Amino acid sequence: MTARIAVLASGRGSNLQAILEAIRRGTLDAEVVGVFSDRPAAPALQQVPEPLRWSRRPSGFPDKTAYEDALAQAIDAVRPDWVVCAGYMRILGDALIARFRGRLLNIHPSLLPRYRGLHTHARALEARDADHGASVHFVIPELDAGAVIAQVRVPILADDTPETLAARLLPREHALLVAVLRLAATGALAEQGDITLCHGQPLLNPLLLDSTDRLNP
Ligand code: GAR
């Protein structure tokens, strides 16, 4: 059955675009049923027709709880199988996470558990890491800390800046997110406590995306 995907995005929306392209090409059996943003001007919103867009400024609500109640209700209304944070730059509250727990995914631009939070590319360079990458994980209340499903690695080159590194990683992020959603859409993924089950088996290590865009143990 075609998976119903809700996407949360705050900015550019290139990951959303990758999802939409994979659906259009027929390589991902899914439907984007809503795009949700904390920034009404987010370019991501423009990638779907108006009826699929939801955006509210959190500053228009009395507090974060009220904002997230409204957001959660709007997400629920589109009956998603999966809720995907693709460049959603706010920390989600416990109530929203509890509501969608087990079907709430995030893409983060680092090889978790390295570099939770912001400025991941600069931090990988400062640490003189040999490689960098991105992770797709289940969302739990602790920031960027849920069970990691899959990762992709890119090399760090001697003359990299945070910008060149981010630019090298981004197309690999897109491939990673689409590959994980393909697994999710077939019903192969589940969260059990702090581990990922893939086809019913616990993943001891994250799956790794290879150069042909396949996920391997
Ligand atoms: C992506 O690089 C994503 O990994 C990152 O924001 C970017 C969004 O790009 N997410 C985070 O940093 C979450 N902590 P996009 O809007 O073009 O998809």
Side-chain angles (χ1 to χ4, degrees):
M1 218 170 57
T2 302
R4 299 173 63 82
I5 298 179
V7 176
L8 274 60
S10 299
R12 180 177 55 183
S14 70
N15 276 286
L16 168 62
Q17 190 176 14
I19 295 170
L20 291 166
E21 269 174 29
I23 292 171
R24 190 172 44 75
R25 283 203 213 105
T27 59
L28 173 62
D29 184 12
E31 183 187 353
V32 172
V33 291
V35 175
F36 301 83
S37 187
D38 56 322
R39 289 187 47 232
L45 289 163
Q46 301 303 319
Q47 298 192 26
V48 292
E50 213 278 328
L52 300 191
R53 299 177 200 157
W54 184 96
S55 65
R56 301 282 188 283
R57 275 189 200 85
S59 60
F61 291 80
D63 54 27
K64 178 171 169 159
T65 306
Y67 167 70
E68 289 208 344
D69 274 355
L71 173 60
Q73 273 184 39
I75 297 171
D76 251 347
V78 300
R79 296 180 293 108
D81 299 305
W82 293 94
V83 180
V84 181
C85 299
Y88 186 72
M89 299 310 281
R90 274 175 195 278
I91 296 175
L92 294 173
D94 292 1
L96 189 140
I97 293 171
R99 192 146 163 181
F100 299 107
R101 182 92 195 245
R103 52 194 172 115
L104 183 55
L105 304 177
N106 179 46
I107 181 154
H108 182 74
S110 81
L111 294 170
L112 290 170
R114 287 188 222 163
Y115 315 126
R116 294 172 181 170
L118 298 174
H119 311 300
T120 56
H121 313 302
R123 288 158 69 197
L125 289 175
E126 263 163 39
R128 300 185 180 279
D129 289 346
D131 58 4
H132 185 48
S135 307
V136 175
H137 64 94
F138 284 104
V139 175
I140 64 170
E142 193 184 340
L143 182 66
D144 299 330
V148 178
I149 300 162
Q151 296 183 317
V152 65
R153 289 175 181 268
V154 297
I156 294 184
L157 306 182
D159 55 354
D160 263 333
T161 63
E163 291 72 29
T164 60
L165 184 52
R168 182 171 324 110
L169 179 58
L170 191 64
R172 303 306 293 145
E173 278 190 39
H174 298 160
L176 177 70
L177 184 57
V178 168
V180 170
L181 289 177
R182 213 174 277 134
L183 264 187
T186 60
L189 286 182
E191 183 193 31
Q192 192 177 69
D194 57 0
I195 57 170
T196 300
L197 297 183
C198 185
H199 297 290
Q201 300 298 315
L203 282 185
L204 300 179
N205 294 298
L207 300 168
L208 200 58
L209 191 78
D210 68 19
S211 58
T212 67
D213 292 351
R214 277 199 192 89
L215 289 172
N216 297 297

